[in-house]
Amino acid sequence: MAALERCFTPGRFAGLLGVLVFISWADVFLGLGTFVFRDFSVFGYPVAHYHRESFWRGELPLWNPLNNCGTPFLAQWNTMTLYPGALFYLLFPVSWSLAVFCLLHLYLGGLGMYRLASQWTGQNLGAALAGLGYAFNGLMLNSLMWPNNIAALGWLPWVVLAVERAAVSGGRAIVVGAGVGALQMLTGAPEMILFTWLFAGCQALVTRCSWGTVARLVGLAVLVGLLAAVQLLPFL
């Protein structure tokens, strides 16, 4: 058991997960194929393509005139107009980069779950099993057709970890938690975000139930809302 613990250090797990993700979708990473299944081709790709065209014209896409008689774009929220990670498929050819964007967030989620499980259990082997299980579970694989959903799920374990630390420790951890929470908020996946914060809040209160914890949780939520206000206000 001790040997297995040494085999699954954070660096080795990151390498193992990276190899498994690459092998599973090597054709996507090498540009020989891409995702087309269901909503990826009829929603995710067209949204990213219009976003990229607007970006290279130097425009902030407030409105999409190409759907029906026109639909809100920035205010739609799940278009990820203001999500920093979207720069990846804005800068690179979208036919390749959008699918890789989704896979990188799947990888991010696996790393985050490893870190979260390691924090809770102190066991590298258990953390590795949790990370692999999270990265390759049915919900994550199915969510590859929705770039905003897989991005939110990729940040989920990191938000839970950051919220728990912020609620218990306060101080600089609140600033870090607000930044991580705002990144997930800007992915624009309301269901995933709501689930994340309900779970993270309950977990923080179970870890240390006090008025101080409640106050830090409220303060953290306010900071996240302020950081993401430029996206949340048009949506509301």
Side-chain angles (χ1 to χ4, degrees), residues 47-163:
V47 164
H49 184 270
Y50 182 70
H51 186 189
R52 189 173 188 273
E53 286 193 330
S54 300
F55 175 81
W56 284 105
R57 289 196 301 265
E59 300 173 358
L60 182 64
L62 303 176
W63 186 260
N64 179 8
L66 304 178
N67 280 50
N68 298 320
C69 295
T71 58
F73 197 87
L74 172 66
Q76 194 170 325
W77 192 13
N78 57 7
T79 56
M80 296 191 291
T81 307
L82 301 176
Y83 175 56
L87 280 170
F88 183 76
Y89 61 76
L90 298 181
L91 297 176
F92 296 101
V94 70
S95 57
W96 171 80
S97 58
L98 185 62
V100 175
F101 167 92
C102 295
L103 292 174
L104 290 177
H105 281 87
L106 181 143
Y107 178 71
L108 177 70
L111 292 181
M113 188 54 69
Y114 173 92
R115 186 68 188 86
L116 181 62
S118 177
Q119 174 76 16
W120 285 349
T121 66
Q123 301 293 322
N124 289 340
L125 176 59
L129 291 174
L132 291 173
Y134 186 77
F136 291 100
N137 73 74
L139 177 61
M140 290 288 279
L141 299 180
N142 188 61
S143 295
L144 288 171
M145 76 174 80
W146 299 297
N148 64 305
N149 280 5
I150 192 66
L153 288 170
W155 283 108
L156 185 153
W158 296 102
V159 173
V160 173
L161 180 62
V163 168

Side-chain angles (χ1 to χ4, degrees), residues 22-37:
F22 180 83
I23 291 174
S24 299
W25 292 279
D27 55 339
V28 174
F29 283 104
L30 296 175
L32 303 175
T34 189
F35 300 142
V36 295
F37 187 62

Side-chain angles (χ1 to χ4, degrees), residues 167 205 208-220:
L205 290 173
R208 180 179 295 178
C209 187
S210 67
W211 286 112
T213 301
V214 173
R216 285 189 286 271
L217 282 173
V218 172
L220 179 60

Side-chain angles (χ1 to χ4, degrees), residues 172-202:
R172 184 179 299 178
I174 293 180
V175 177
V176 174
V180 175
L183 283 171
Q184 191 202 37
M185 191 70 70
L186 292 173
T187 64
E191 303 91 339
M192 310 301 178
I193 294 168
L194 178 61
F195 172 79
T196 301
W197 281 87
L198 285 175
F199 180 82
C202 291

